[in-house]
Amino acid sequence: MSNPSTELARGVVATLIEGGVTEIVLAPGSRNAPLAFAAYDAAVAGLVRLHTRLDERSAGFLGLGLTKVGSRAAVVCTSGTAVANLHPAVLEASHSGVPLVVVTADRPARLRGTSANQTTDQVGFFGPAVASFDLSVDGPRFTPDLLPPIARHHRVGPVFGAPYHLNVQLDAPLVPGDRWVPEELRFGPKRQDFGSQDCGLGPNGIPIGPRTVVLAGDDAGPPARILAQRAGWPLLAEPTAGCRTGDNALRCYRLLLDGDLGQRIERVLVFGHPTLSRPVTRLLDRPGVEVWATASIRGRRPFEVATELATTTEHEPEGADDPAWLEEWKSADRSVAAQLDALLAAEPGLTPHQVAGAVSRAVPPGGLLVVGASSPIRDLDLMAVPYPVGDRRKVIANRGLAGIDGTVSTAIGAALGRRRERALALLGDVTFLHDMGGLVLGPDDPRPDLTLVVVNDDGGAIFAMLEQGAEEYADRYDRLFGTPHGVDIASLCAATRTPHWRVDSLPELEHALASPAGGIEVIEVAVDRSRRRELDERIRALRP
């Protein structure tokens, strides 16, 4: 015979599945035992895929990665500090518009406000940006229509959801008295009609005239590329824009923005969420530059928007612009790219930029690349040559809050959710160490084929390129910002039985990338950060 907590947990899991959840990530605990048993029985029935993780933070980012590539994941944890460890992933999901579901077990309401063990106020724990629902045996019924829509893509661009929090009050007994055979459930996500989400300017309202560039930030999608091609405008696309493709996309755009061409820009059309470079920030804040932008799921834009563009419409310009404007940009881009490659080739050792370029080239059509925050995403931005249109390469990163949290787990989740072609990740050593626990998988947990490329410069290189990396702070820099750690990454990988290669030259790296071992593997690339600031200054000084 079952009991009230078991029945409630089974009802929650059944409703999640009927609402489109296909993956359940479980972090073990006592209070969430009813949910764990229900998730296991659903997995045995073939209704979901079950993943277990020891660490709630890794579990949260695994669920985030799964959901970012189109699966729908629910992350289940126990009460108390376990809930707090989900917060980084929930914040990233909220700021990225990813419909991650988190299910937290709780003590009964009668214990709230008391000193009962592992009891804190979990209702609304993640704040007003996250939809939440408090469930109990005697409370209102939870139904699939209460879940927010599953994220999917319209023909012309992304449509996003929001994270959702289910707080489930569970009382003893916490273990079932029987096995659950949920044969009656209808498996598969319910596609919902999002309706029209257009706003602002219609599809035929973009006049030709001002010197215009199209700026595509994170998750911009194909509309930015389509508009740039139709109007004959330069496309300045970040690696995770989803549209760094085609003839109008420029590789070294950020090096051109502070030069003569950049100073002549009169209008910027912004899609997605631009986050990577200060030249872009200066452009958007420059007096005399007119900014048109789609609405942001992340709140009000940090720059003044003169005209709001429709969000899910193919934008038709009123004709094509003078081709000389685009050709100037393309010619300048070719010149600077050639200079950059020559500069890097002349360096005495392998540079992080060359690592990023090699990883970008290793992604096959249909493949996946997950990129860590800080230096790797910026290095990739300079080195990734635009891919051909239609090759369906997917490049993602956690750019909602742009933190280094959970990147290993995000990459594993994305690779598991993608289930096709090659999957790679590019991340720095500090980012890797921050989520080393993501490599701790149980023997029965699904493992993707994923190559993690770790650029190891023994610390945080990003700060060398910022104000605190100036010579006057050299006596304090390593202690406060560079933070050398001296960790033996090979030994850490050995502890989790993760295959590991260490390379220190471009031919070795290219050979390792061309010879994946299968499963999760780590390629550690040794680089020197002592010259990073000086190298960055020489790169920024390049001009056509």
Side-chain angles (χ1 to χ4, degrees), residues 268-350:
V268 184
L269 307 183
V270 180
F271 294 76
H273 182 50
T275 63
L276 291 186
S277 75
R278 291 187 178 185
V280 166
T281 302
R282 288 192 290 270
L283 171 65
L284 295 174
D285 287 338
R286 197 168 75 207
V289 172
E290 185 180 9
V291 178
W292 296 26
T294 57
S296 172
I297 62 167
R298 298 161 171 91
R300 185 172 59 87
R301 295 282 190 181
F303 45 83
E304 184 177 346
V305 176
T307 303
E308 189 168 286
L309 290 164
T311 55
T312 61
T313 305
E314 286 189 0
H315 299 85
E316 287 285 355
E318 296 176 351
D321 209 339
D322 183 349
W325 172 243
L326 175 60
E327 186 50 44
E328 277 191 85
W329 280 89
K330 292 171 71 172
S331 175
D333 188 53
R334 289 191 295 268
S335 171
V336 171
Q339 294 176 58
L340 174 59
D341 289 339
L343 186 158
L344 296 174
E347 286 295 292
L350 185 60

Side-chain angles (χ1 to χ4, degrees), residues 463-540:
F463 302 110
M465 297 174 278
L466 304 177
E467 292 84 350
Q468 55 264 58
E471 183 62 31
E472 65 227 65
Y473 308 117
D475 61 331
R476 290 151 281 176
Y477 175 79
D478 264 2
R479 176 70 168 160
L480 299 176
F481 304 105
T483 57
H485 48 76
V487 171
D488 184 347
I489 288 179
S491 295
L492 285 181
C493 290
T496 58
R497 297 182 176 86
T498 303
H500 168 272
W501 302 35
R502 180 180 170 96
V503 301
D504 57 12
S505 70
L506 188 58
E508 285 182 308
L509 173 60
E510 291 174 335
H511 174 67
L513 289 170
S515 310
I520 301 172
E521 62 176 349
V522 171
I523 301 175
E524 178 189 357
V525 189
V527 299
D528 178 12
R529 66 178 167 90
S530 64
R531 298 187 304 275
R532 180 65 196 246
R533 185 177 181 87
E534 182 265 340
L535 176 61
D536 184 66
E537 289 173 347
R538 286 191 286 140
I539 290 174
R540 285 189 281 110

Side-chain angles (χ1 to χ4, degrees), residues 429-430 455-462 481-485 529:
D429 53 312
V430 175
V455 185
N456 187 3
D457 55 15
D458 192 28
I462 185 69
F481 304 105
T483 57
H485 48 76
R529 66 178 167 90

Side-chain angles (χ1 to χ4, degrees), residues 12-305:
V12 168
V13 170
T15 302
L16 290 173
I17 294 170
E18 292 185 345
V21 167
T22 57
E23 316 270 355
I24 293 181
V25 184
L26 173 69
S30 174
R31 187 58 47 170
N32 66 337
L35 293 161
F37 281 109
Y40 181 87
D41 289 342
V44 169
L47 300 178
V48 293
R49 188 165 53 161
L50 179 63
H51 315 260
T52 56
R53 293 296 185 273
L54 301 179
D55 170 23
E56 286 82 9
R57 189 181 67 175
S58 291
F61 279 98
L62 177 70
L64 180 75
L66 284 160
T67 308
K68 280 177 76 77
V69 297
S71 297
R72 189 79 188 278
V75 183
V76 180
C77 77
T78 195
S79 61
T81 58
V83 181
N85 283 307
L86 291 181
H87 212 159
V90 171
L91 283 174
E92 176 63 32
S94 177
H95 285 264
S96 298
V98 176
L100 177 69
V101 180
V102 294
V103 184
T104 59
D106 198 359
R107 262 61 177 168
R110 68 176 184 275
L111 297 179
R112 292 174 183 166
T114 75
S115 58
N117 187 40
Q118 286 189 313
T119 300
T120 188
D121 187 0
Q122 296 178 193
V123 179
F125 185 88
F126 301 110
V130 178
S132 104
F133 202 79
D134 192 27
L135 299 174
S136 68
V137 171
D138 301 322
R141 183 170 174 264
F142 176 60
T143 58
D145 60 306
L146 292 174
L147 281 173
I150 299 166
R152 62 186 176 89
H153 278 71
H154 278 262
R155 180 171 59 95
V156 295
V159 173
F160 300 92
Y164 197 75
H165 174 210
L166 300 179
N167 188 65
V168 187
Q169 301 173 39
L170 298 168
D171 208 346
L174 298 173
V175 294
D178 58 359
R179 293 291 292 266
W180 181 36
V181 184
E183 296 176 349
E184 72 281 4
L185 295 182
R186 294 166 294 173
F187 178 64
K190 292 183 177 180
R191 297 296 182 184
Q192 301 189 28
D193 182 8
F194 286 81
S196 175
Q197 297 190 22
D198 293 348
C199 60
L201 201 68
N204 298 307
I206 304 180
I208 301 298
R211 294 191 182 96
T212 300
V213 296
V214 178
L215 176 62
D218 184 57
D219 272 329
R225 174 188 58 80
I226 294 169
L227 173 62
Q229 288 183 329
R230 289 176 176 173
W233 289 324
L235 175 60
L236 321 182
E238 294 181 359
T240 61
C243 60
R244 191 167 171 137
T245 54
D247 293 337
N248 292 41
L250 306 176
R251 169 183 161 188
C252 298
Y253 67 90
R254 84 171 191 234
L255 301 180
L256 301 174
L257 286 178
D258 285 335
D260 173 65
L261 272 175
Q263 295 303 313
R264 290 160 56 198
I265 295 172
E266 297 171 336
R267 183 176 61 181
V268 184
L269 307 183
V270 180
F271 294 76
H273 182 50
T275 63
L276 291 186
S277 75
R278 291 187 178 185
V280 166
T281 302
R282 288 192 290 270
L283 171 65
L284 295 174
D285 287 338
R286 197 168 75 207
V289 172
E290 185 180 9
V291 178
W292 296 26
T294 57
S296 172
I297 62 167
R298 298 161 171 91
R300 185 172 59 87
R301 295 282 190 181
F303 45 83
E304 184 177 346
V305 176

Side-chain angles (χ1 to χ4, degrees), residues 355-496:
V355 177
V359 171
S360 177
R361 294 191 297 273
V363 181
L368 170 72
L369 174 58
V370 181
V371 193
S374 218
S375 298
I377 185 71
R378 291 168 173 83
D379 296 339
L380 183 70
D381 190 36
L382 279 180
M383 299 301 295
V385 175
Y387 293 128
V389 175
D391 274 3
R392 306 190 73 80
R393 293 174 173 90
K394 190 171 185 66
V395 182
I396 66 171
N398 290 336
R399 300 307 302 170
L401 288 179
I404 66 171
D405 310 60
T407 306
V408 171
S409 298
T410 299
I412 292 173
L416 285 168
R418 185 78 166 167
R419 305 192 199 196
R420 54 186 290 187
E421 296 299 337
R422 182 85 186 277
L424 300 101
L426 173 67
L427 56 161
D429 53 312
V430 175
T431 298
F432 177 73
L433 294 174
H434 204 269
D435 191 27
M436 182 66 198
L439 294 180
V440 180
L441 279 70
D444 297 324
D445 278 306
R447 292 172 181 261
D449 292 330
L450 171 66
T451 301
L452 296 160
V453 180
V454 180
V455 185
N456 187 3
D457 55 15
D458 192 28
I462 185 69
F463 302 110
M465 297 174 278
L466 304 177
E467 292 84 350
Q468 55 264 58
E471 183 62 31
E472 65 227 65
Y473 308 117
D475 61 331
R476 290 151 281 176
Y477 175 79
D478 264 2
R479 176 70 168 160
L480 299 176
F481 304 105
T483 57
H485 48 76
V487 171
D488 184 347
I489 288 179
S491 295
L492 285 181
C493 290
T496 58

